[in-house]
């Protein structure tokens, strides 16, 4: 399997999201995504990408891309993640350790910063085409994005 890093522009995403504050845990954001999928089914909202967003080490956000108009309810908020430049890599976590990918992308962006190609990394997110816990194809195509400032 080839794993390669690239600077690209990520598209904007219209999402329903739930924020969780606390330390990282093994099944991080699973409860929040379950709540988002129940909300989408109940309101008959078509969904797309699943986005795990890390704002900082203790602020996590489960974002479910929505394709229809909808209304927020409870702790679910609707917003648009704007199109933005990202350093990205697509890999299969069963074939390549996510630790290696994260450390490699971190070092790669550090060098991009040193060469003046980017100014900083502002956030980290994982993007899946579907439910990574239930859909093997979505899990096998994990996209890690470091949101960057040029």
């Amino acid at each position: 399997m080839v794993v390669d890093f690239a600077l690209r522009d990520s598209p904007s995403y219209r999402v329903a999201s739930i924020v969780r504050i606390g330390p990282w845990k093994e099944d991080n954001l699973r409860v929040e995504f379950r709540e988002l999928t129940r909300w989408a089914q109940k309101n008959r909202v078509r969904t797309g990408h699943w986005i795990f967003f890390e704002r900082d080490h203790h602020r996590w956000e489960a974002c479910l891309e929505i394709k229809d108009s909808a209304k927020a309810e409870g702790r679910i908020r609707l917003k648009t993640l704007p199109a933005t430049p990202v350093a990205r890599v697509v890999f299969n976590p069963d074939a390549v350790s996510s630790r290696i990918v994260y450390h490699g992308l971190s070092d790669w962006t550090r060098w991009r910063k040193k060469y003046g190609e980017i100014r900083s990394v502002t956030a980290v997110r994982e993007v899946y085409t579907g439910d990574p816990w239930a859909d093997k194809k979505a899990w096998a195509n994990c996209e890690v994005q470091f949101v960057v400032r040029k």
Side-chain angles (χ1 to χ4, degrees):
M1 169 177 227
V2 175
V3 177
D4 198 12
F5 308 121
L7 282 175
R8 295 241 173 98
D9 287 331
S10 172
S12 66
Y13 297 101
R14 180 78 178 138
V15 299
S17 71
I18 299 176
V19 173
R20 184 183 75 78
I21 297 173
W24 183 87
K25 60 184 182 174
E26 187 63 36
D27 61 348
N28 204 22
L29 299 175
R30 186 174 258 186
V31 170
E32 289 78 8
F33 274 110
R34 193 174 307 129
E35 187 175 336
L36 286 169
T37 55
R38 273 193 238 124
W39 167 84
Q41 288 171 345
K42 182 180 97 176
N43 292 295
R44 295 188 177 132
V45 176
R46 290 180 307 129
T47 62
H49 291 90
W50 291 45
I51 303 166
F52 294 66
F53 212 143
E54 178 185 358
R55 297 287 184 178
D56 58 44
H57 295 295
H58 294 289
R59 185 179 157 96
W60 309 88
E61 195 168 356
C63 299
L64 185 60
E65 182 182 26
I66 57 174
K67 308 270 185 173
D68 301 318
S69 61
K71 290 187 178 184
E73 71 180 46
R75 63 186 195 139
I76 297 172
R77 300 290 174 252
L78 302 179
K79 66 181 182 177
T80 299
L81 301 177
T84 184
V86 296
R88 70 183 279 270
V89 62
V90 177
F91 72 105
N92 180 347
D94 290 333
V96 180
S97 170
S98 59
R99 282 187 191 169
I100 290 172
V101 169
Y102 272 92
H103 284 286
L105 190 55
S106 179
D107 286 346
W108 189 81
T109 54
R110 188 176 307 124
W111 281 99
R112 300 289 70 79
K113 187 176 175 184
K114 184 175 182 176
Y115 292 138
E117 294 177 37
I118 63 173
R119 288 191 329 210
S120 64
V121 173
T122 60
V124 176
R125 59 190 186 190
E126 290 180 13
V127 180
Y128 298 91
T129 55
D131 180 352
W133 291 291
D135 182 355
K136 290 183 181 192
K137 186 177 178 187
W139 172 254
N141 290 297
C142 173
E143 181 176 344
V144 174
Q145 298 178 347
F146 284 15
V147 179
V148 299
R149 283 196 188 119
K150 287 191 172 187

